[in-house]
Amino acid sequence: MAFRITHEQSAAAAHAVLTFAEATSQVSGTGCHISSRSPGLREVGVRYRLIEQGRFPMKTEDRLYFDPFREVVKAVNSTLDLQKVLNLLVFDVTKTMDLKACIIRLLDPKTRTLESMASHGLSEKFLDKGPVDADKSISDAMEGETVSIYNAPEDPRVQYPKEVAEEGIASILSVPMRIKGRVIGVMRLLTSEPREFSEDEINFAEALAEIGAIGIENARMYERIKKDYEKARETSTALWDTIIHAR
């Protein structure tokens, strides 16, 4: 049976994240500044170590709701398989926050379109509806603003209102995914019933979106380093061959 919790319980999960951030920011000797709205990967690691060491008491129910967050962090720490991390993220967000679906889209700078990288709970028909324009589809999110839309089928900020209605989507929370202040894409939370997302839920989603963005950056950096290494090795081999033949 799929893990499913209520709307109120998902808010408790978000509260656990915020409480955790406040408590660990007061712990001496960690050497880090913790922001509840923008937790870095290193800071999150400190939080988990404190729990495991028993230095931060957490209620059983809060820890249960915090587990999906920990899953994503561990995945980012343990693998450079970007698709695995993003698939886990959209799955955990959907189940934990009792959503209809979740999708991660990354910006293609050349076309200014948002390309689907991972999704859970959406039909192939909806995913194939057409190109998603970064400047026409809830564009404020690409400026770094988290956007909550209560009545998505009727909202002018939604690029495909007809398709949204046919998919049974009522409300949307569009969360920017940032790396060093630069928005690289969005994580969109979709509900089947109209919902006013609470501040705690928004903070929870923003924290997960940042962890996902860190995972994306890690994977991209690895690919750049790998290409640079291969290029350097080819150059070195060619230079060595030249030296050998010159003798």
Side-chain angles (χ1 to χ4, degrees):
M1 182 173 65
F3 176 68
R4 184 182 178 86
I5 63 175
T6 65
H7 176 52
E8 289 75 15
Q9 287 172 327
S10 67
H15 176 71
V17 174
L18 298 179
T19 302
F20 201 179
E22 291 168 1
T24 53
S25 66
Q26 298 169 4
V27 176
S28 62
T30 59
C32 61
H33 171 72
I34 297 175
S35 166
S36 63
R37 293 183 64 85
S38 182
L41 187 57
R42 179 170 175 270
E43 287 86 346
V44 172
V46 171
R47 298 174 196 180
Y48 292 136
R49 285 196 293 274
L50 290 174
I51 279 187
E52 291 167 355
Q53 294 168 6
R55 295 171 61 190
F56 178 81
M58 181 177 281
K59 294 179 181 179
T60 302
E61 59 269 26
D62 284 346
R63 185 165 184 171
L64 173 64
Y65 307 145
F66 201 79
D67 281 348
F69 192 88
R70 177 169 53 186
E71 267 194 291
V72 175
V73 174
K74 285 185 174 180
V76 171
N77 269 322
S78 63
T79 181
L80 289 169
D81 185 340
L82 178 57
Q83 198 59 55
K84 178 180 178 181
V85 172
L86 297 184
N87 287 344
L88 176 64
L89 178 55
V90 294
F91 177 82
D92 278 355
V93 170
T94 301
K95 297 304 179 182
T96 303
M97 296 186 69
D98 194 22
L99 306 171
K100 170 183 172 57
C102 180
I103 184 168
I104 290 174
R105 292 184 176 277
L106 298 185
L107 176 68
D108 183 333
K110 293 181 180 178
T111 62
R112 291 292 298 172
T113 56
L114 295 169
E115 305 298 327
S116 174
M117 295 297 294
S119 66
H120 180 78
L122 294 171
S123 67
E124 288 299 324
K125 180 182 178 182
F126 182 77
L127 293 173
D128 295 336
K129 62 185 177 298
V132 176
D133 192 321
D135 300 315
K136 296 179 180 179
S137 179
I138 319 180
S139 59
D140 285 347
M142 289 306 299
E143 298 300 321
E145 178 184 343
T146 296
V147 180
S148 181
I149 296 178
Y150 183 77
N151 186 3
E154 301 295 330
D155 197 292
R157 293 170 291 181
V158 174
Q159 185 181 0
Y160 293 96
K162 178 175 177 289
E163 288 78 3
V164 163
E166 290 175 350
E167 187 70 9
I169 296 168
S171 298
I172 300 174
L173 184 69
S174 188
V175 184
M177 302 182 77
R178 300 183 187 87
I179 287 294
K180 299 176 181 176
R182 177 173 54 90
V183 179
I184 63 171
V186 293
M187 181 174 74
R188 289 183 175 167
L189 286 58
L190 315 170
T191 69
S192 56
E193 299 293 334
R195 183 189 297 189
E196 291 282 2
F197 289 92
S198 69
E199 183 178 356
D200 282 353
E201 286 179 313
I202 292 171
N203 287 338
F204 186 56
E206 287 176 341
L208 286 171
E210 181 172 353
I211 295 302
I214 291 170
I216 292 167
E217 183 66 8
N218 285 349
R220 286 177 172 177
M221 187 179 298
Y222 170 74
E223 287 300 320
R224 288 195 296 268
I225 292 172
K226 183 179 177 182
K227 287 180 181 178
D228 288 346
Y229 169 76
E230 290 174 349
K231 184 177 180 180
R233 186 176 61 177
E234 290 173 1
T235 302
S236 176
T237 300
L239 179 60
W240 182 250
D241 288 344
T242 301
I243 293 172
I244 293 296
H245 286 98
R247 288 180 177 179

